[in-house]
Amino acid sequence: MELKHKLKINLEKIYSSKLIKEDIVVIDSVLPNKEAVGPRNSDLIEFAKKLSNFRYYTMYPMKPGNKAWYSHTYGMTQEQFNKKLGDYEKMYPETRGKIKFLSSKKRYQINLAYTYFLAETYTLLPFLEKNKVPFVFLLNPGGAFGINNKSSDKMLSEVLSSKFFRKVIVNQEYCQEYLIENKLCSPQDIIYDFSGSAQFKQADVVTKKLYKKDKQTFDLCFVAAKYSPKGIDKGYDLFIAAAKQLVKHLPDVRFHVVGGFDESEINVSKIADSIKFYGYLSPLELPDFYASMDIYMSPSRPFKLYKGGFDGFPLSAGAMYCGVCGFNTDELHLNREFKSDELVIIRAQVNDIVEKVKYYYSNLDELYVISRKGQKRAQFFYDIEKHIDGRIRLFRKLSQIYK
């Protein structure tokens, strides 16, 4: 055999040996991670249990394309991945062997990929197209998706027009309407699923502690990552301002802050004895935490973080699932599923927040009726078994069609 021919065969073997073949995968940027990352964490655990051939891939650091209004990278280095993986697999042993690092030096043959958010999917698009990977993605509010944001629309157009795009899942009718009205996507390629994110199972829920019966404090919590100074997009400033008013009237009220905020963000010296900061709690810790809470406060505001940026509704879903009464703003009138006796709608105004907290503090029976009804409704919508089974049916269908 000629030397040239032998070299060609050897090179082909080396190249083909780098081809990674997978069936169904999730490609994401945040796991493994010790911090609470909510539903994505639950998705991984359940997919790992139910799909024997499932893999979760962590993005290597990727820069977005030129249509993005942001410039930061998504993903992590191999060193960061290796450092976090061991601790994560100890917390969730059922994921052992399911999480892999996506390598820029290897080729992949994947039947179907599932991704989250516009920003990550757009940033990942060159990889998906280079490796000819069919994909479906979850278009949650946030993640660089903005209403009437020209950059966001251009990113969406590029993702949704890719020949490897298969379906987009939305968990707000508002998002579905926006895609259709702006001719960004054909209606038949949109899947509306209000339970687009589910975090807990009923077995996770801890028996609720009631004020004056099981505990002597009336407890309000604020749970959010920090994305802006003073957390104005999530309404952290409103929460603290309301807390400063409420301590004057309710001596046994207590405030609890979970996530990216601490006492240095806004001066809380006047309520120092009534407020506690926890940092991030893991998903495993949240049910115990919520068991002692009476109100989950979510005074979020749209269009504060970036042009057209907004949060989904309700941000209190996980807490409601655990029996906490959700107090939510709804500036964009996103609520299409919850009734008025299943949660409390608040305005993004300190006075309105204060007055409604004071009212339900004095009318505990009404508060706990709303808590129970809201819990029942949340557990119906955010049934993780139903959610995951639906995803798996979709994935299998799409992966077989485009195999």
Side-chain angles (χ1 to χ4, degrees), residues 333-396:
H333 307 291
L334 300 179
N335 183 26
R336 315 278 174 91
E337 307 291 354
F338 286 88
K339 299 175 183 176
S340 59
D341 60 350
E342 294 170 341
L343 45 65
V344 176
I345 299 297
I346 54 174
R347 294 197 294 273
Q349 300 170 5
V350 174
N351 288 344
D352 188 63
I353 294 169
V354 169
E355 289 308 310
K356 283 175 179 167
V357 171
K358 286 168 62 179
Y359 174 82
Y360 285 105
Y361 173 89
S362 300
N363 295 272
L364 286 178
D365 289 343
E366 286 186 45
L367 179 72
Y368 290 141
V369 166
I370 294 172
S371 298
R372 288 192 293 272
K373 288 185 176 181
Q375 181 178 30
K376 185 176 180 180
R377 192 74 163 164
Q379 289 184 354
F380 169 77
F381 281 127
Y382 301 97
D383 182 328
I384 198 165
E385 293 288 338
K386 187 167 62 176
H387 163 72
I388 292 295
D389 288 346
R391 287 286 188 274
I392 289 174
R393 283 194 300 272
L394 173 66
F395 295 166
R396 282 180 172 152

Side-chain angles (χ1 to χ4, degrees), residues 63-206:
K63 286 274 190 182
N66 59 14
K67 293 181 174 64
W69 54 263
Y70 58 92
S71 59
H72 60 273
T73 60
Y74 277 88
M76 63 182 76
T77 65
Q78 177 85 63
E79 183 181 9
Q80 290 171 324
F81 175 83
N82 292 341
K83 188 175 180 181
K84 294 177 178 181
L85 181 61
D87 288 339
Y88 186 83
E89 288 182 335
K90 284 179 183 175
M91 281 195 295
Y92 304 104
E94 58 269 54
T95 66
R96 189 166 284 116
K98 298 288 188 178
I99 310 176
K100 303 291 182 182
F101 186 75
L102 197 69
S103 173
S104 60
K105 298 176 182 178
K106 295 178 180 178
R107 294 185 307 130
Y108 294 84
Q109 182 179 308
I110 298 169
N111 289 329
L112 185 75
Y114 177 51
T115 61
Y116 298 93
F117 292 101
L118 173 59
E120 288 189 10
T121 305
Y122 175 73
T123 302
L124 192 60
L125 191 60
F127 170 87
L128 296 170
E129 295 191 327
K130 178 184 175 182
N131 288 274
K132 300 179 180 178
V133 180
F135 66 92
V136 55
F137 78 104
L138 178 64
L139 182 64
N140 271 335
F145 173 37
I147 298 298
N148 299 319
N149 179 316
K150 290 181 180 179
S151 172
S152 168
D153 286 350
K154 288 177 181 177
M155 291 161 62
L156 273 170
S157 181
E158 190 163 317
V159 169
L160 295 168
S161 63
S162 170
K163 67 179 181 178
F164 300 103
F165 162 73
R166 297 298 177 254
K167 298 288 181 184
V168 57
I169 302 169
V170 298
N171 63 358
Q172 305 283 317
E173 286 186 7
Y174 187 68
C175 300
Q176 181 179 32
E177 291 161 1
Y178 184 81
L179 293 178
I180 294 171
E181 288 171 7
N182 289 275
K183 296 180 171 58
L184 290 162
C185 189
S186 299
Q188 62 266 27
D189 290 329
I190 303 171
I191 298 171
Y192 172 66
D193 178 10
F194 185 66
S195 69
S197 300
Q199 187 169 6
F200 302 118
K201 293 182 177 181
Q202 291 194 22
D204 298 325
V205 178
V206 178

Side-chain angles (χ1 to χ4, degrees), residues 7-24:
L7 287 172
K8 183 180 178 182
I9 291 173
N10 287 336
L11 285 171
E12 285 176 349
K13 284 182 178 179
I14 292 169
Y15 190 55
S16 64
S17 69
K18 293 183 179 180
L19 180 64
I20 309 297
K21 295 184 178 182
E22 299 284 13
D23 184 14
I24 298 169

